[in-house]
Amino acid sequence: MTTLALQRAEAPASANTGDQPFRTAAGGLIDRNRPRDFTFDGRRLTGCHGDTLASALLANGVRLVGRSFKYHRPRGILSAGSEEPNALVELRSGARREPNTRATMAELYEGLEATSQNRWPSLAVDALSVNALLSPIFAAGFYYKTFMWPASLWEKLYEPMIRRAAGLGRAADAPDPDTYDHAHAHCDVLVIGGGPAGLSAALAAGRSGARVILVDEDFATGGRLLAERREIGGASGSEWAARAVAELESLPEVRILSRTTLFGIYDHGAYGAVERVSDHLAVPPPHAPRQRLWRIVARRAVLAAGAIERPHVFGGNDRPGVMLAGAVRTYLNRYGVLPGRRLAVFTSSDDGWRTAADILAAGGGLAAVIDTRAAVPPALRRMAEAAGARVVAGGYVAGTKGHLGKGHLGLSAIQVMDGDNSTETIPCDGLAMANGWNPVVHLDSHLSRRPVWNAAIHAFVPGTLPSGMQAAGAAAGRFTLAECLETGAQAGAEAANDCGFTATPEAAPPTDPESVDHTPLWRAPKPRGKAFVDFQNDVAASDVELAHREGFRAVELLKRYTTLGMATDQGKTSNLAGLSIMAELTGKDIPSVGTTVFRPPFTPVAIGAFAGHHRGKEFRATRHVPSHAWAEENGAVFVETSLWLRPAYFPKGGETEWLDTVVREVKTVRARVGICDVTTLGKIDIQGRDALAFIERVCANPFATLPVGKARYAVLLREDGFILDDGTIARMGETHYIMTASTANAARVMQHLEFCRQWLWPELDVQLASVSEQWAQYAVAGPRARDTLRRIVDPGFDLSNEAFPFLACADVTVGGGIPARLFRISFSGELAYELAVPAAYGDAAWRAVMQAGLPYGITAYGSEALSVMRIEKGHAAGSEINGQTTARDLGLGGMLAKKKDYIGRLMKERPALVDPDRPILVGFRPVDPSARLRAGAHFLSLDAAPSLEADEGVMTSVAYSPSLKTWIGIGLIRRGPERHGERVRAYDPVRGAEIEVEICSPVFVDPKEEKLRV
C-alpha cells in the first residue's frame, strides 16, 4: 500500500465562493469568474461555469435531491457520472420539460430550471414516504402476491392506484419545439471513452494518419484525469489531457465527439451514439438540433469506457450524504466542492485512502477512516489520526443516522462495528464508500457476449469481444494510470495497423506511484437498517434473500423477481453486489452464479433523437415522383399511395368530374398512347453467384429457365402459404436480376428478402440493394407506344416485335448516351414498355417522352386510369393481395412450381387453403348496365337473407369500363370459376345498395392478350 501525504490545506473550508457555502476556496476546473444562476424546486441558487447540476447543488449545500421509486426514501447524490441512480430530476419547463435527467450529467447553464420528481407535496415532506413503513408488503415480488382479493377491486381501485403511483417524472404535455438530427460517419478507428486510455489510443492511431473518431460522454475530455490529483510526465493529469486533446484537434483525420454517449454496439462494425448538441443551452441556437443521433461504422474499435465504482451494502447506505469515494474526489478536484464539512471514508481498498488525502488537501474535515482490511500501514494511521480522524481497521459501517436539516434529510452519524464487534457512533455529514471498481462491460455485451470473471480484481471483464474491437485501460481491468496509458497506446496502434497504417506506440510517460489493492466487502455482516443493493429500484439485500428462499436463484430470475438492475441505470452500481449476495446464499462463487447481459442503450436515449426529423408529416416523409414538377404544372390531382404522392388523374377543361378525366385517359391509352409514372414500384437489385438460387427459394414460380434479357411475373409467398406480394423479375445479366414489388409492399418485400438472405441462407453469395429511389420508371402504353419510344431510345437499338418481344428487357441508352433500362411488360393490357432512367434524369425523360408522343396524341395518365385498366384485365392488386389470399385464390395456382422447394410451399397445401369452397377470383357485371358497383359489397344468393352464414364472398375492386361502357368488378366468391353466368346479389348495407350481378371471367378486355404482343 503506497503511503499518501495526508495534509490539510491551508485555506479553511469556510473560505467559500460567494453564497456557495460548500465551494472550496480555490482549485477545481470550474471558472469562478463566470457564475451561473439556476433554480431547484423554485429556489434560486448560483453555480459556476463548468459545473454540473449535481456539483452546483452540492456547492450550495443541497443534499436531498430526490425520492426513491418504491419506498419514496430520501435520496442524495451518489456518483458523479452517467451511473447515477438517485439524482434524477426534471429539467426545463413547458414544452421542453425533460424528466429523469441525471443531475450528474446535466451541464449547468444560465437560467437552468430543475425540479425534483417522484414526490408529493414536496421533496422534504413526501406523503408517499409512508411506503417505507409498508416495506414488508412491498418486498420483492409483491405484485405477484398482493392486490389479489377481492378481484372486483382490481380495475376499480388497485390498478388505477398503482398506475398513479408509478413512474418517476412528468413528460412534457406539449409538442417538443426542438429538432433532432441524424448523422452518419465512417472511420478506421473508433475510440470509446476520453480518459487516459482513450486519449492514448486516439493519439497512437491518429498520429499514423488513420481516420479516428473519439467519443466521450462528458463535456470535458479527460475522464478520471480531471478528477484526480495525478501526475503524468511531471505535469498534472488534467494538463496532460488538455495537451492530448489539443494535439488530437490538430490532426486532420481525427474527430472528437464530446457530450456524446456511445449507447449501442451492433453487427458489422456499426455503433450508435447520441450527441447532446444543445443540451447545455437553455434554447438551441437557430437551425441547431437539440441532439444528434450518430450511426458510426468503424473498421476497428478501442473500448476505453473506464470503470464504475462499487458501493458497500450496509444499513442506511442510501441516506443523502453517502457517496462513492471516487465521486467525492471528482467533486473536490474537478468542481471545487466539499460534499460535507466533516467526512468519513469507508474503504476496502487503497483507493479510499486517496479520497481521505484529497479531503484534507481540499480543506475538509476527516472524521474517520474505516478500512475493512485488518492491516493498515502505521504511517497512514498516524497521519490520519494527526488530522483528527478516527481510524478503524478490520471494521465496517453497519448503519447510518440522519436528521431533518434545513432543506435536506441528511447524514448525521455512522454506526461503526470494529474488529471486536464493538459498536461506536461517529458524527459526520458525509461518507465516502470505496469498494473497488467494475470495468464497464455493458457495451461489449450488446452482441450477446458475456463478460468473464477476473479473480485478481474481483470483477467481471470483457470476454470475447466483438470482431474488430479490443479493450484498454480500466475497461479491460487495468486500473493503474500507467497501465491505462500503456494499454491505450498499444490498442490504438494495433487498431491502426490492422487498417493498413503504420503506427508504433510511444513509450508511456512516467506517472506518480499508486496502488490499487483491494479486498471487497460485498455486504456488512450485521447491517443496522435496510441495506440497499439497487438504489434506483429500491432493491435491498433482504429482497435478494427472499428471492433465494423462494427459489428465484438463477441470475435472470433474480433480476426479474426483484427488479435488480432493471431501472434506467441498468444496475451499473448494483449488479455485482446482488450477484455476490446470491453467491453467498447459495454457497457458490460469483462466476458460478453468473451474470446477466446488457442491452442497448447504455444510457437512456430520447425518443426524439431516434425519430430525428421524422415527426409530424415527416414521420413518413412524402416522396415525390420524378414527374411531380410536370404534373403540378399541368394541374394534376394527387393521391398519397404508401410513402408516395402520385398523380391520380390529369383534368382538362370541360371535364366536370374525376370520372370524365379517367375515361378520357383510358380511351387515349387504348387508342393511341399514354405515359404513367410507375417509379413508386419497389425496385430491388439482386446480384451474386447465388442470385438465381436465392430467387428460386423466395419465389413460388420457377425461374431457372429464365434467360438473360427476359422478364417474368413473380409470386412471393409468406411462410404460412399466403401471398406476400407479386411483381416481376428481369434477368439483366448472368448473375444480375431486377425485382419489382408493389408500391404498398416494397419495404415489406425488401425486409423479407433481407431476412431470408441474412438468417435463412447466409451461406448464399448474393447481395441485395433497394434502388427504388435511384431509378425513375415510366410506363409507356398504347398502340403507338413503340413509335413514341423510337424517338427516345438512341439509334442502334431495335424495338421491333421480333427483336424486342413481350417480356424482353435490356440495358439501352436514351437522349444521346444516358444509360437506361427498358422492359416490355404491361399492366394495362396494351402494347407497353417501362423505361427506367437514373433519377437525376427523371424529369427530363418524362418531358422528352411527352414531346416525342405529341404526334401520336399522347396523354399522361394517373393511378386512377391505371387501376381501371388493370381491373379490365383482371389483374390482382392490393385489394386482392391483402394478406388473406393464396395464389390459388387469385387463379395463379397453375403457375406455381411443382419440382422445387420455396418459402410457403408446404403451408399453402393446408386443407383450409385448398378447400373447394374457398372464394376464388372472378369478374362481375351488373345485370342492369347502368347500375354502379361498389367495392366492399358482399355476395349473397338471390333468395338468401343477409347473414354471415349466407355470405359467399366480397367485391374487392370496381371501375367504370370505358371499353364496355358499364361498371365492372372483380372479387372473391365461393367456387367462382365454376359459376360463370350465375347471378348473385352484391349486398352493400353500409351504403344501402343491393345490385344483381353476373359472375364472369375476370378478364374483360382482350382475353387472348393479342394487343400486348403486337
Side-chain angles (χ1 to χ4, degrees):
M1 189 182 299
T2 303
T3 300
L4 302 174
L6 299 182
Q7 297 178 352
R8 186 183 299 277
E10 294 182 2
S14 59
N16 57 69
T17 300
D19 54 356
Q20 302 170 47
F22 286 83
R23 186 75 72 179
T24 59
L29 303 179
I30 56 171
D31 189 343
R32 297 169 185 258
N33 296 318
R34 298 170 65 184
R36 294 286 182 263
D37 293 331
F38 69 102
T39 63
F40 181 68
D41 281 347
R43 177 184 170 190
R44 296 189 61 83
L45 301 167
T46 301
C48 296
H49 177 75
D51 265 326
T52 62
L53 173 60
S55 64
L57 288 171
L58 290 172
N60 285 272
V62 178
R63 298 292 181 269
L64 177 63
V65 296
R67 291 281 178 165
S68 67
F69 173 65
K70 187 163 63 174
Y71 299 133
H72 286 250
R73 288 171 66 100
R75 290 285 164 82
I77 296 165
L78 177 73
S79 70
S82 60
E83 68 272 23
E84 175 59 36
N86 293 338
L88 304 182
V89 299
E90 289 179 5
L91 290 188
R92 302 176 174 84
S93 59
R96 287 191 169 91
R97 186 169 64 208
E98 176 187 339
N100 297 324
T101 302
R102 287 163 171 76
T104 52
M105 296 295 292
E107 192 173 346
L108 194 66
Y109 58 81
E110 181 66 28
L112 181 146
E113 300 175 70
T115 307
S116 59
Q117 54 189 36
N118 200 42
R119 83 290 188 277
W120 182 85
S122 70
L123 182 59
V125 181
D126 182 9
L128 284 179
S129 62
V130 69
N131 287 1
L133 302 176
L134 302 176
S135 59
I137 297 176
F138 294 134
F142 78 93
Y143 30 80
Y144 300 122
K145 306 170 186 175
T146 55
F147 309 115
M148 305 296 288
W149 180 89
S152 60
L153 289 183
W154 173 252
E155 292 185 356
K156 297 177 182 178
L157 176 63
Y158 300 148
E159 184 180 20
M161 179 179 66
I162 292 171
R163 290 193 180 279
R164 278 196 299 270
L168 290 174
R170 302 171 300 157
D173 51 11
D176 190 340
D178 297 328
T179 60
Y180 298 83
D181 197 12
H182 284 176
H184 294 73
H186 291 75
C187 63
D188 298 309
V189 181
L190 172 66
V191 179
I192 306 165
L199 289 174
S200 296
L203 286 171
R207 288 165 178 165
S208 72
R211 293 175 302 164
V212 177
I213 295 177
L214 187 149
V215 173
D216 188 33
E217 66 179 358
D218 205 337
F219 59 88
T221 304
R224 291 297 304 174
L225 293 177
L226 308 181
E228 307 284 1
R229 296 186 303 136
R230 302 301 306 277
E231 290 187 1
I232 303 177
S236 70
S238 60
E239 290 173 347
W240 183 90
R243 290 202 299 264
V245 170
E247 180 179 349
L248 290 172
E249 289 175 339
S250 71
L251 297 174
E253 297 295 336
V254 175
R255 170 187 284 172
I256 299 177
L257 293 176
S258 58
R259 299 188 179 95
T260 303
T261 299
L262 193 130
F263 62 77
I265 298 178
Y266 304 94
D267 290 327
H268 311 301
Y271 301 82
V274 61
E275 180 183 7
R276 300 180 297 280
V277 180
S278 304
D279 277 6
H280 61 294
L281 305 172
V283 178
H287 313 298
R290 171 83 176 275
Q291 296 179 356
R292 178 179 292 119
L293 191 79
W294 285 90
R295 183 181 187 274
I296 302 172
V297 178
R299 298 172 66 188
R300 294 292 184 271
V302 177
L303 178 64
I308 295 172
E309 194 166 16
R310 299 188 290 246
H312 287 97
V313 178
F314 58 90
N317 60 340
D318 65 327
R319 194 180 298 278
V322 180
M323 301 175 66
L324 297 173
V328 170
R329 296 202 298 276
T330 300
Y331 292 116
L332 289 171
N333 299 320
R334 177 173 174 178
Y335 300 111
V337 172
L338 276 166
R341 297 292 188 198
R342 189 163 179 79
L343 299 163
V345 176
F346 179 19
T347 182
S348 299
S349 69
D350 291 358
D351 204 51
W353 289 93
R354 185 175 298 279
T355 304
D358 286 3
I359 291 170
L360 294 175
L366 185 64
V369 179
I370 301 94
D371 196 324
T372 60
R373 301 168 298 179
V376 175
L380 287 178
R381 176 187 290 274
R382 285 194 299 271
M383 286 186 286
E385 291 173 344
R390 173 86 165 88
V391 177
V392 179
Y396 61 89
V397 176
T400 63
K401 291 185 176 182
H403 57 78
L404 179 62
K406 185 178 180 180
H408 70 278
L409 291 164
L411 178 70
S412 62
I414 56 175
Q415 295 171 301
V416 177
M417 186 82 71
D418 63 19
D420 297 325
N421 289 326
S422 299
T423 303
E424 65 176 302
T425 299
I426 300 177
C428 62
D429 60 353
L431 176 65
M433 301 178 288
N435 198 24
W437 296 75
N438 290 329
V440 174
V441 296
H442 300 67
L443 291 170
D444 62 271
S445 298
H446 284 179
L447 292 177
S448 299
R449 289 169 166 81
R450 290 185 180 273
V452 297
W453 182 254
N454 185 327
I457 62 172
H458 308 283
F460 286 100
V461 297
T464 303
L465 289 164
S467 177
M469 175 183 284
Q470 53 186 314
R478 310 295 293 275
F479 292 137
T480 69
L481 179 56
E483 289 176 324
C484 288
L485 297 173
E486 179 183 354
T487 59
Q490 183 177 355
E494 290 179 0
N497 290 330
D498 290 343
C499 295
F501 298 90
T502 302
T504 302
E506 296 182 1
T511 62
D512 55 317
E514 64 180 311
S515 172
V516 293
D517 290 341
H518 70 286
T519 303
L521 175 69
W522 297 119
R523 65 165 170 167
K526 297 179 181 179
R528 297 196 173 185
K530 212 163 189 65
F532 283 92
V533 177
D534 188 318
F535 293 97
Q536 192 168 129
N537 264 358
D538 273 341
V539 179
S542 57
D543 293 314
V544 180
E545 294 171 347
L546 179 61
H548 174 263
R549 288 197 303 272
E550 298 190 351
F552 297 96
R553 299 168 185 173
V555 290
E556 297 292 353
L557 296 178
L558 169 67
K559 173 181 178 179
R560 285 154 181 81
Y561 189 66
T562 64
T563 70
L564 173 66
M566 293 181 64
T568 60
D569 64 341
Q570 292 197 38
K572 290 180 174 64
T573 60
S574 64
N575 276 344
L576 190 55
L579 297 177
S580 67
I581 295 172
M582 182 59 73
E584 173 194 330
L585 295 171
T586 56
K588 300 178 180 178
D589 55 17
I590 293 177
S592 298
V593 171
T595 182
T596 58
V597 294
F598 305 93
R599 304 182 184 95
F602 175 67
T603 56
V605 179
I607 294 176
F610 283 117
H613 292 290
H614 300 285
R615 301 167 56 188
K617 182 65 177 175
E618 283 70 42
F619 178 68
R620 299 182 70 183
T622 300
R623 305 177 187 178
H624 289 171
V625 294
S627 63
H628 183 84
W630 186 94
E632 276 193 322
E633 294 166 10
N634 288 271
V637 175
F638 294 93
V639 62
E640 288 192 6
T641 307
S642 186
L643 298 179
W644 296 88
L645 193 65
R646 296 185 69 178
Y649 51 94
F650 298 82
K652 290 188 175 181
E655 295 171 348
T656 58
E657 64 171 350
W658 70 272
L659 189 56
D660 295 338
T661 302
V662 173
V663 167
R664 172 185 54 78
E665 292 174 1
V666 173
K667 285 182 175 180
T668 303
V669 173
R670 297 268 187 232
R672 294 187 289 275
V673 64
I675 179 173
C676 179
D677 195 325
V678 294
T679 302
T680 61
L681 294 174
K683 295 178 281 292
I684 301 171
D685 200 306
I686 305 174
Q687 298 190 41
R689 184 181 61 221
D690 296 323
L692 176 59
F694 178 79
I695 290 171
E696 283 280 83
R697 297 182 189 184
V698 298
C699 293
N701 52 316
F703 280 87
T705 59
L706 182 69
V708 175
K710 295 289 283 187
R712 183 172 293 173
Y713 180 73
V715 177
L716 284 76
L717 304 186
R718 301 188 316 220
E719 291 279 5
D720 59 4
F722 290 91
I723 292 183
L724 171 67
D725 199 31
D726 68 340
T728 63
I729 292 180
R731 191 170 190 175
M732 308 303 295
E734 192 64 31
T735 59
H736 184 195
Y737 297 80
I738 300 294
M739 173 186 285
T740 64
S742 65
T743 299
N745 286 325
R748 188 175 295 111
V749 169
M750 184 67 189
Q751 183 183 42
H752 173 70
L753 296 182
E754 280 291 0
F755 170 75
C756 296
R757 183 184 72 87
Q758 295 184 36
W759 286 95
L760 300 185
W761 311 304
E763 73 279 3
L764 294 184
D765 179 11
V766 60
Q767 297 298 321
L768 312 174
S770 174
V771 294
S772 300
E773 293 84 7
Q774 280 65 45
W775 290 87
Q777 195 150 319
Y778 306 126
V780 182
R784 305 307 297 269
R786 183 181 290 118
D787 297 329
T788 300
L789 283 177
R790 279 174 171 157
R791 306 182 66 185
I792 295 296
V793 177
D794 289 340
F797 190 84
D798 190 354
L799 290 182
S800 68
N801 192 49
E802 294 74 22
F804 201 71
F806 180 57
L807 293 179
C809 63
D811 291 307
V812 298
T813 59
V814 297
I818 297 171
R821 292 169 177 166
L822 191 63
F823 310 88
R824 188 171 167 185
I825 50 182
S826 177
F827 199 52
S828 61
E830 298 294 326
L831 167 66
Y833 302 82
E834 289 189 10
L835 175 68
V837 297
Y841 296 97
D843 180 75
W846 177 276
R847 296 176 189 272
V849 173
M850 289 297 297
Q851 185 67 31
L854 284 179
Y856 313 113
I858 192 170
T859 187
Y861 65 98
S863 59
E864 290 291 341
L866 182 66
S867 179
V868 170
M869 289 186 282
R870 74 96 180 167
I871 294 171
E872 288 183 331
K873 289 296 296 178
H875 291 158
S879 298
E880 292 75 40
I881 303 175
N882 59 5
Q884 299 174 310
T885 53
T886 67
R888 178 180 175 275
D889 297 341
L890 302 184
L892 304 175
M895 68 183 296
L896 303 189
K898 306 295 190 299
K899 299 180 179 180
K900 71 167 187 174
D901 193 15
Y902 52 87
I903 289 178
R905 181 179 68 86
L906 294 177
M907 296 294 280
K908 72 176 176 58
E909 299 297 332
R910 287 178 289 168
L913 301 189
V914 296
D915 188 337
D917 281 338
R918 271 187 74 84
I920 305 295
L921 186 72
V922 290
F924 298 90
R925 303 171 184 263
V927 174
D928 177 1
S930 64
R932 179 169 184 169
L933 301 184
R934 299 282 188 179
H938 287 256
F939 299 121
L940 305 172
S941 62
L942 295 179
D943 57 353
S947 67
L948 288 176
E949 293 74 16
D951 189 1
E952 297 190 32
V954 65
M955 186 91 73
T956 54
S957 300
V958 300
Y960 177 79
S961 170
S963 305
L964 303 180
K965 297 182 174 56
T966 185
W967 284 86
I968 60 173
I970 59 176
L972 300 157
I973 192 169
R974 204 174 293 163
R975 294 180 177 267
E978 304 172 14
R979 302 169 64 180
H980 286 189
E982 183 181 332
R983 295 183 179 184
V984 294
R985 293 150 56 206
Y987 176 65
D988 185 0
V990 175
R991 285 163 288 204
E994 186 171 328
I995 302 168
E996 189 174 334
V997 296
E998 179 184 322
I999 302 173
C1000 61
S1001 167
V1003 183
F1004 296 92
V1005 173
D1006 190 24
K1008 296 183 179 180
E1009 297 188 343
E1010 295 172 343
K1011 299 176 70 174
L1012 57 79
R1013 297 179 184 274
V1014 297

